[in-house]
Amino acid sequence: MKLYDYFRSSAAYRVRIALNVKGLVPERAFVHLRRGAQRDDDYLALNPQGLVPTLVTDGGDVLTQSLAIVEWLDETFPDPPLLPADAAGRARVRSLALAIACDIHPLDNLRVLTYLTGTLGVPETQRVGWYRYWIDVGFEALEARLAREKATGRFCHGDRPTLADICLVPQLANARRVAFDFSPYPTLLAIEAACNALPAFADAAPAKQPDAE
Ligand SMILES: N[C@@H](CCC(=O)N[C@@H](CS)C(=O)NCC(=O)O)C(=O)O
């Protein structure tokens, strides 16, 4: 397998965690997003969206979209599972994961921020304000759910990590890239600490990647 990755990409971070949980070590290629390598012809031929991650399987399938990749990994290498055994549990975990991957992360993506500052001329202070605002909006709802729902355990769902934790930890890491007030989010922080105590999560952190700067 070959993973197209970038250390600071939280979507790629999700896939790195899932690979580690499954004990898989892919070949790596690094796409330098800050230098615009995601728009190079070679990469666009592989992934026309010009986003990381991309995973090329041993069978030659080109997989894009981190959640689709994580679910493919989970179906192909089922042990340990990243989704609960029951349908209601899977719906809950996917709902938490999608609240991050669809409703927080895209608003703070590099191309959106570049459009804000470059095309619309939004000043730097407002760019940072935008970045924090959308994380806060998403985290408020996640904190409320995770604090009150009985299915929450040491992790987002019970006592083993799932797809929801795989999305939460990278999103918290993104929030740390700006001065961010974490005090309203004790449940999120407790889950993050439980995740990062596991080597699968800790070893996937941006600072530990070979392309980290
Ligand atoms: N929904 C996609 C999002 C992928 C994505 O947005 N990746 C970001 C890095 S986290 C990226 O490649 N950004 C490049 C850009 O904005 O130009 C997924 O989950 O894989």
Side-chain angles (χ1 to χ4, degrees):
M1 276 189 271
K2 184 167 179 177
L3 176 66
Y4 290 80
D5 195 355
Y6 181 60
F7 74 106
R8 226 178 244 147
S9 160
S10 54
Y13 188 176
R14 298 172 194 148
V15 174
R16 294 197 298 264
I17 297 168
L19 286 161
N20 290 347
V21 169
K22 303 290 184 183
L24 299 166
V25 183
E27 191 187 333
R28 308 271 287 276
F30 301 105
V31 183
H32 200 300
L33 299 187
R34 291 264 161 210
R35 292 195 197 126
Q38 69 274 32
R39 309 297 316 166
D40 287 352
D41 289 345
D42 285 359
Y43 190 68
L44 286 175
L46 198 62
N47 181 340
Q49 275 195 294
L51 300 171
V52 295
T54 299
L55 185 76
V56 182
T57 71
D58 287 341
D61 290 318
V62 178
L63 308 182
T64 61
Q65 288 290 336
S66 61
L67 267 56
I69 296 171
V70 172
E71 292 227 20
W72 176 85
L73 285 167
D74 205 34
E75 288 170 17
T76 310
F77 306 95
D79 195 36
L82 292 171
L83 287 167
D86 62 304
R90 286 195 296 279
R92 178 173 182 266
V93 165
R94 289 189 177 115
S95 154
L96 292 166
L98 292 169
I100 297 167
C102 297
D103 298 337
I104 302 177
H105 172 268
L107 289 158
D108 284 345
N109 203 356
L110 178 63
R111 60 185 180 174
V112 172
L113 300 176
T114 305
Y115 185 78
L116 281 179
T117 51
T119 309
L120 299 183
V122 168
E124 179 61 19
T125 47
Q126 287 183 25
R127 184 190 74 88
V128 174
W130 167 285
Y131 190 97
R132 277 200 208 100
Y133 176 79
W134 291 112
I135 297 177
D136 258 326
V137 167
F139 279 4
E140 267 176 43
L142 282 173
E143 176 69 28
R145 286 194 60 185
L146 289 166
R148 76 166 180 235
E149 291 178 2
K150 287 194 182 66
T152 306
R154 208 152 55 87
F155 298 97
C156 287
H157 193 81
D159 289 326
R160 56 197 306 167
T162 62
L163 179 66
D165 305 283
I166 283 176
C167 290
L168 178 64
V169 168
Q171 191 58 57
L172 283 158
N174 268 7
R176 287 211 165 74
R177 286 164 57 185
V178 292
F180 188 83
D181 179 12
F182 287 94
S183 59
Y185 309 119
T187 312
L188 304 190
L189 292 183
I191 292 170
E192 182 193 37
C195 289
N196 281 334
L198 304 175
F201 282 75
D203 294 347
K208 291 216 179 153
Q209 304 316 302
D211 61 330
E213 290 167 352

